[in-house]
Amino acid sequence: MEKYCTPEFVFKKVLSLPNHIVFIICILITWPLIILYAIKGYRYLGMSGMYLLVGLFFFIFKLLFNYWSKSVTIYFDRKRMYIKEGNKEYTGYLKREILGFYSYNYDEQYRSFISIKIIFKNGKTISLTDADVSQKKDAEKELMLKRFLVSAKRQLGFTFIKKNRWRSLLKLGAHWYAEDPNEKIPDIKEADLE
């Protein structure tokens, strides 16, 4: 019997740090630069130094995001979702352990920015956020994200439940996909899956 699995979905140059950690790091870099500019920079550079400061922010963030970014590969088989970060080995998670995930609605929106947060029933989370904040359109990436969303919904038995306003304000994937609480799911034994 041939082993069933979906194609591998490769997310290139993504940050797997939680969004609040990235936010804290940005604040820890931004505030000292602003204070340094306010104390010394304004006196010597004037208002034109603000352009230099903004350019320095983007340069530092781009360097850090490129340093922390990695490729993440995901695929599904009958019972598990497998995730591989960088050059590490695949880690398998039982599908029934996954509570749901946040994502953009790649089915209806044409986006190539990666923003996916997978939440497990035990509280563990896996965040994938694009390290390239320019949000340039990439047709190949859009198609891969659409295929991933369709495959993940089908493999996990998830549907769109609601849109999270807070994540939407932060320009993150705000659509929550999980099991439909109104739908009665028949009992499936593990022996039936093999």
Side-chain angles (χ1 to χ4, degrees), residues 1 4 13 18 21 23 28 34 47 54 64-65 88 97 104 111 116 120-121 129-130 132 139 160 163 169 182 186:
M1 181 170 143
Y4 166 82
K13 292 186 75 174
I21 299 294
F23 181 73
L28 290 175
I34 290 173
M47 285 303 290
V54 169
L64 285 175
F65 290 166
K88 296 180 183 175
E97 293 177 355
Y104 286 115
R111 289 185 170 254
I116 300 168
F120 293 87
K121 290 179 181 174
T129 307
D130 211 327
D132 183 18
F160 170 72
K163 187 172 182 177
L169 284 173
N182 300 327

Side-chain angles (χ1 to χ4, degrees), residues 174-191:
H175 291 78
W176 174 248
Y177 296 94
E179 291 179 356
D180 189 355
N182 300 327
E183 188 176 313
K184 184 72 175 169
I185 300 171
D187 291 334
I188 299 174
K189 297 178 181 156
E190 286 193 28

Side-chain angles (χ1 to χ4, degrees), residues 36-153:
L36 184 65
Y37 173 74
I39 293 172
K40 295 285 184 183
Y42 183 74
R43 182 180 305 156
Y44 299 109
L45 301 173
M47 285 303 290
S48 62
M50 287 298 275
Y51 298 116
L52 178 66
L53 186 65
V54 169
L56 187 61
F57 286 151
F58 284 117
F59 180 73
I60 290 172
F61 293 142
K62 188 165 180 83
L63 281 178
L64 285 175
F65 290 166
N66 283 336
Y67 177 73
W68 285 324
S69 69
K70 56 185 132 191
S71 289
V72 176
T73 306
I74 299 176
Y75 78 93
F76 300 91
D77 69 7
R78 290 194 190 279
K79 295 181 187 179
R80 290 183 166 79
M81 175 181 70
Y82 293 92
I83 298 178
K84 175 183 171 184
E85 293 184 22
N87 295 327
K88 296 180 183 175
E89 294 292 320
Y90 280 100
T91 305
Y93 302 95
L94 288 173
K95 290 179 182 178
R96 66 175 180 252
E97 293 177 355
I98 301 171
L99 181 64
F101 64 91
Y102 284 105
S103 171
Y104 286 115
N105 187 358
Y106 295 112
D107 285 342
E108 297 174 5
Q109 297 174 340
Y110 296 103
R111 289 185 170 254
S112 57
F113 186 77
I114 300 168
S115 178
I116 300 168
K117 182 176 183 180
I118 303 167
I119 301 174
F120 293 87
K121 290 179 181 174
N122 64 4
K124 177 182 169 112
T125 61
I126 297 174
S127 296
L128 303 176
T129 307
D130 211 327
D132 183 18
V133 293
S134 67
Q135 296 189 12
K136 294 180 202 168
K137 292 284 185 179
D138 182 353
E140 185 179 324
K141 200 172 175 184
E142 282 179 14
L143 183 61
M144 189 268 302
L145 289 167
K146 184 174 184 171
R147 287 181 180 162
F148 171 77
L149 182 62
V150 169
S151 183
K153 287 192 307 186

